[in-house]
Amino acid sequence: MGLMGRRVLVTGADTFWGGRVIQALEEEPTIDVILGLGEHDPSVPFERAEFVRADQTYSILHRLVRATAVDTIIHTFLVSDSTTVSSRALHEINVIGTMNLLAAAGAEGSKVSSLVVKSSTKIYGANERDPYFFTEENRRSTSAHTMVERSLIEAESLIDDFAQDHPEIAVATLRFANVLGGGLRTPITRNLSRPLCPTLLGFDPQLQFVEATDVVRSLEHAVKRDLRGTYNVAGRGRIPWSEVVKLAGARPLPIPAVHHKLLMRPFQAAGIYEMPDELADLLRFGRGVDTSKIEATGFRYRATSAGAVQSFTEQLRLDRSAGRSPTTYRYEHDVEQFFRHSPAVVDRR
Amino acid sequence: MEESRQVDERQLSRNLVPLPMVVEDEGLPDPRQGDVDEWGRSERVRSFIRTVYEPMYSKWFRVEWEHFDRIPAEGGGLLVANHAGAVPSDAPVIMHGIESRLGRPVYGMADYFFRTVPFIGTMWSRSGGVAARPENAERLLGEQGQLALVFPEGSKGPSKSFSERYHLRRFGRGGFVEIAMRSGTPVIPLAVVGSEEAMPVLFKVPALAKLLGTPYFPVTANLLAMGPLGIVMPFPAKIKISVLEPITFDVEPGLERYPRSLVLEQADRVRELIQEQVFEMLRSRRSIWWG
């Protein structure tokens, strides 16, 4: 049904992804209303989106959904990087937050007709028994042993149940491969940005990446097309980790796989490297997903897996030469409100 | 005719096998540096291995093929063979033979156990090894029209002792038949003779296998005769490979499930055909070493 006249709510507006999605939606003049929901101040400026503050678990969502009559929710606030928050917060955000979101979207008087969720291919895990290309129907080979994987599984099962209970709402879950580019910071980008990048000795797994703009574009695509069901999103091709390290201009630092936890600990404590369990599994067995399902809906990628690595490398070189661009933006509630609502403002764009 | 084939085979093995185009190219820039494909196979590594393995293939085993022309020069095909010898020579011999003659890659499906072993697992993958998962085989055969080599006996084949030589084990649960049916590719049965004598298993030490975490731990005649070298060095038995008539199953491809009874029946049929051909070849074999 396209974007004409839509009233869109974006969760995690204070995070990297929420901010990027809102900025992309602001480019679409036919969208009626854009609401951003977040716990902290947004880190990027919004032109016309309204920002609403909420706690981690979104307890005010119920009122908000009814009061604003939003018809579309983009749920970008599923945390898939376990190094950014405590495991308790991870559960609160991914499971309880999603639960409240779904309760609000399905409540009586809700106008929500479309829900798009940003999930991760981490949900498949990484194991020697895996198929080389997971399809959306494949189950993971072993039970999840990391907190982030468990919470994503739980969140997705809540979403599945919701989709079954509410056939009138188009629910799409997009599972993204590891993202590179666009100034995003993850354990992988941190390790790759060092002159020596950790690898597991004797292992050279094949990985898939997705470029940051393709993440935003595919979420937008899912909204525009009212997609239903689960979709893998990953750039074409699988690349050996050794080649990724080379493309990023780093040299490999091989760590014996059996003792990697012990050996990595001082580096992690010093903030040089990150090696959460889910990354250690990935650097041993790699992961690939089949992306034909989302391509069949008409989505076209801007970058392959190697293209995503390239985009990351270029950003890295720029940062090294010109320095990381300082964050000049600071969210001021009164100022934003003035520009949006004061009768004195003539041109609101 | 066999002579002339061997000549251009040697020439071919020095050239790179061209990699098939897998997905339609939409002109996206793909700044790759290596040549490792999505299965982990590297043509450069394969080409190096072919150069090194060539004397083993033509001088040591003096490999001879029968009905080689039954192997398709293009399009998917599921190669099904009997599996033997503690460290089986059949897989590298079949892959080497087809790659150097036809100039197309062969992916060897094997136990996922290899993926857990550092260095060896990576080498195995770069040289064309793929974990034997039905999803992998179906993507290789159906979507990409490649050749995949499977040993339905699994590790039960190479771990059987010398007294049971050339008696094929159960063909698993017939998974390979289902793969061929679903992907709509023909099964090409191969009967291999000579691989049993290349590395005969005298007895097995299950306790050591458990300790090392390997599927089996055999004590081979090679180990006794050559010491540690015997772990990798086979005896120079003459290897003969006979390609049987390709089998296409008369079912609709792409179905979720096929009747269990049909799958098992067909798996048994392929096993019988290979077993019969192996006995036939043994009947006409005069010498283990000279064929």
Side-chain angles (χ1 to χ4, degrees):
Chain A
M1 83 181 197
L3 297 174
M4 181 65 102
R6 289 249 195 150
R7 305 173 69 84
V8 186
L9 173 74
V10 180
T11 66
D14 51 338
T15 65
F16 180 88
W17 290 115
R20 293 287 296 265
V21 168
I22 289 175
Q23 285 184 325
L25 292 176
E26 286 183 329
E27 301 287 312
E28 305 280 350
T30 58
I31 295 181
D32 209 12
V33 170
I34 306 167
L35 289 173
L37 192 63
E39 193 189 355
H40 308 286
D41 289 342
S43 51
V44 290
F46 301 142
E47 264 173 35
R48 62 191 183 103
E50 304 254 8
F51 178 72
V52 187
R53 198 180 299 271
D55 66 312
Q56 265 181 357
T57 54
Y58 292 152
S59 37
I60 65 152
L61 249 170
H62 209 78
R63 272 177 66 194
L64 188 69
V65 167
R66 192 143 27 136
T68 57
V70 291
D71 50 37
T72 304
I73 299 179
I74 306 179
H75 187 28
T76 71
F77 197 37
L78 278 186
V79 177
S80 64
D81 177 358
S82 64
T83 61
T84 52
V85 291
S86 70
S87 62
R88 195 187 148 69
L90 196 66
H91 178 80
E92 289 291 309
I93 294 168
N94 285 0
V95 182
I96 310 297
T98 303
M99 204 146 73
N100 286 336
L101 179 88
L102 296 175
E108 210 165 311
S110 147
K111 296 274 189 306
V112 174
S113 64
S114 169
L115 170 66
V116 176
V117 182
K118 175 186 169 293
S119 182
S120 163
T121 58
K122 287 196 179 77
I123 202 162
Y124 297 118
N127 186 271
E128 71 267 27
R129 294 164 199 233
D130 292 346
Y132 287 19
F133 295 88
F134 277 103
T135 63
E136 290 81 355
E137 285 73 40
N138 284 141
R139 301 277 218 84
R140 49 181 297 144
S141 312
T142 52
S143 58
H145 67 105
T146 67
M147 192 63 209
V148 65
E149 290 170 4
R150 272 202 297 268
S151 71
L152 285 173
I153 290 170
E154 212 172 320
E156 276 206 22
S157 84
L158 290 171
I159 293 159
D160 282 350
D161 291 347
F162 178 82
Q164 273 179 23
D165 295 345
H166 297 274
E168 74 281 6
I169 302 178
V171 181
T173 307
L174 272 51
R175 291 178 180 156
F176 292 97
N178 293 90
V179 188
L180 287 179
L184 177 70
R185 303 188 80 165
T186 65
I188 285 189
T189 64
R190 181 185 290 268
N191 293 351
L192 281 176
S193 61
R194 308 290 178 197
L196 288 173
C197 176
T199 63
L200 293 182
L201 183 68
F203 290 94
D204 193 9
Q206 291 193 275
L207 273 61
Q208 231 174 347
F209 297 99
V210 56
E211 217 272 335
T213 46
D214 278 338
V215 175
V216 177
R217 288 177 60 243
S218 60
L219 287 169
E220 243 189 305
H221 173 85
V223 172
K224 268 185 208 165
R225 301 289 178 98
D226 283 317
L227 293 189
R228 285 168 181 268
T230 310
Y231 299 86
N232 292 330
V233 185
R236 188 192 305 152
R238 301 210 311 161
I239 324 174
W241 180 241
S242 61
E243 195 179 325
V244 176
V245 172
K246 210 162 138 195
L247 282 168
R251 288 176 165 281
L253 172 69
I255 312 276
V258 272
H259 298 304
H260 74 86
K261 271 193 178 171
L262 195 69
L263 291 164
M264 287 305 288
R265 200 168 294 157
F267 293 105
Q268 278 174 285
I272 300 172
Y273 298 127
E274 297 280 6
M275 188 66 80
D277 286 348
E278 58 271 14
L279 180 59
D281 286 347
L282 192 68
L283 291 189
R284 204 163 178 162
F285 301 115
R287 188 191 302 125
V289 293
D290 184 296
T291 59
S292 49
K293 192 174 167 192
I294 194 156
E295 282 175 280
T297 68
F299 181 70
R300 292 289 168 266
Y301 291 92
R302 289 261 173 86
T304 62
S305 274
V309 179
Q310 174 82 1
S311 149
F312 164 76
T313 310
E314 282 164 8
Q315 179 73 41
L316 192 67
R317 288 194 199 122
L318 180 67
D319 288 350
R320 274 185 189 146
S321 307
R324 230 171 216 287
S325 43
T327 42
T328 47
Y329 176 72
R330 255 195 80 204
Y331 178 78
E332 297 285 355
H333 189 69
D334 297 342
V335 177
E336 300 288 341
Q337 289 308 309
F338 168 76
F339 278 114
R340 281 174 179 74
H341 301 296
S342 168
V345 177
V346 182
D347 182 2
R348 292 199 196 277
R349 272 232 59 164
Chain B
M1 182 172 144
E2 208 50 51
E3 276 304 311
S4 71
R5 268 204 172 145
Q6 278 194 351
V7 173
D8 56 50
E9 183 180 308
R10 238 165 273 162
Q11 272 176 343
L12 260 167
S13 70
R14 293 208 183 84
N15 300 328
L16 296 183
V17 171
L19 286 173
M21 293 295 291
V22 179
V23 200
E24 82 282 5
D25 191 23
E26 288 154 12
L28 285 181
D30 197 35
R32 290 288 304 269
Q33 287 186 345
D35 73 331
V36 179
D37 70 9
E38 60 176 36
W39 301 102
R41 181 186 185 275
S42 160
E43 179 49 31
R44 260 178 247 156
V45 171
R46 274 306 301 175
S47 160
F48 173 74
I49 290 177
R50 279 199 299 276
T51 314
V52 175
Y53 196 72
E54 176 56 32
M56 197 77 183
Y57 178 85
S58 54
K59 298 279 177 357
W60 194 259
F61 290 130
R62 293 144 291 133
V63 179
E64 237 174 66
W65 289 79
E66 195 181 63
H67 299 299
F68 187 87
D69 50 292
R70 285 175 178 167
I71 292 170
E74 54 189 34
L78 184 59
L79 308 159
V80 177
N82 56 318
H83 206 21
V87 176
S89 295
D90 36 27
V93 161
I94 294 169
M95 287 166 79
H96 180 95
I98 296 176
E99 290 200 348
S100 20
R101 278 202 196 184
L102 290 182
R104 62 178 298 192
V106 179
Y107 292 88
M109 316 286 293
D111 199 305
Y112 58 76
F113 161 78
F114 281 101
R115 295 183 72 188
T116 64
V117 191
F119 298 105
I120 293 174
T122 306
M123 249 345 267
W124 167 76
S125 170
R126 295 293 169 271
S127 53
V130 173
R133 285 271 320 211
E135 294 91 338
N136 291 348
E138 279 157 29
R139 189 180 170 98
L140 270 170
L141 297 168
E143 289 172 36
Q144 305 181 352
Q146 302 277 15
L147 288 178
L149 169 65
V150 296
F151 300 98
E153 291 170 273
S155 63
K156 292 190 295 304
S159 67
K160 64 181 184 288
S161 56
F162 196 58
S163 57
E164 305 162 296
R165 62 189 178 277
Y166 295 120
H167 287 272
L168 271 63
R169 289 305 170 93
R170 180 165 59 85
F171 264 21
R173 279 159 286 178
F176 75 95
V177 172
E178 244 174 326
I179 289 164
M181 286 176 168
R182 206 170 293 140
S183 58
T185 31
V187 161
I188 303 145
L190 307 174
V192 187
V193 159
S195 50
E196 293 275 13
E197 289 85 1
M199 202 177 278
V201 178
L202 299 180
F203 56 90
K204 286 172 281 183
V205 192
L208 262 177
K210 211 166 183 183
L211 193 73
L212 296 171
T214 54
Y216 55 93
F217 188 90
V219 173
T220 61
N222 309 53
L223 210 56
L224 299 185
M226 298 182 257
L229 185 65
I231 296 173
V232 288
M233 197 62 190
F235 293 130
K238 169 94 177 168
I239 291 188
K240 281 191 178 175
I241 305 165
S242 175
V243 186
L244 280 74
E245 201 73 61
I247 300 167
T248 36
F249 299 110
D250 188 23
V251 291
E252 189 192 335
L255 294 185
E256 185 91 2
R257 210 172 282 121
Y258 293 91
R260 199 95 287 245
S261 55
L262 177 71
V263 169
L264 288 175
E265 185 190 301
Q266 292 298 330
D268 226 40
R269 179 180 147 217
V270 175
R271 187 185 162 279
E272 283 299 314
L273 283 169
I274 297 176
Q275 179 72 78
E276 213 21 72
Q277 183 64 22
V278 165
F279 284 158
E280 185 57 43
M281 288 159 84
L282 290 176
R283 270 193 283 271
S284 57
R285 182 169 77 161
R286 290 194 188 134
S287 150
I288 292 172
W289 316 111
W290 306 109

